[in-house]
Amino acid sequence: MTLTQKRILILIIVILAAAVLGRLAIRAFMNLMLGGTLFGGNFL
């Protein structure tokens, strides 16, 4: 594995992690604004 391949692989992993965390952050923020539960369903 060359250095360029390793850089591309790391970049892909970082982009995927950022996309997942970004979506979760947006969902959490929207839930706070709308007063819902984060993962669906009712905890009470």
Side-chain angles (χ1 to χ4, degrees):
M1 222 178 182
T2 64
L3 189 62
T4 309
Q5 284 177 321
K6 282 184 182 176
R7 280 185 181 171
I8 291 172
L9 187 66
I10 290 170
L11 193 63
I12 289 170
I13 291 169
V14 167
I15 289 171
L16 286 174
V20 169
L21 290 176
R23 287 202 50 174
L24 271 177
I26 291 169
R27 262 183 83 184
F29 177 71
M30 290 295 288
N31 261 319
L32 282 173
M33 297 302 280
L34 299 172
T37 56
L38 188 55
F39 299 107
N42 204 348
F43 287 119
L44 296 176

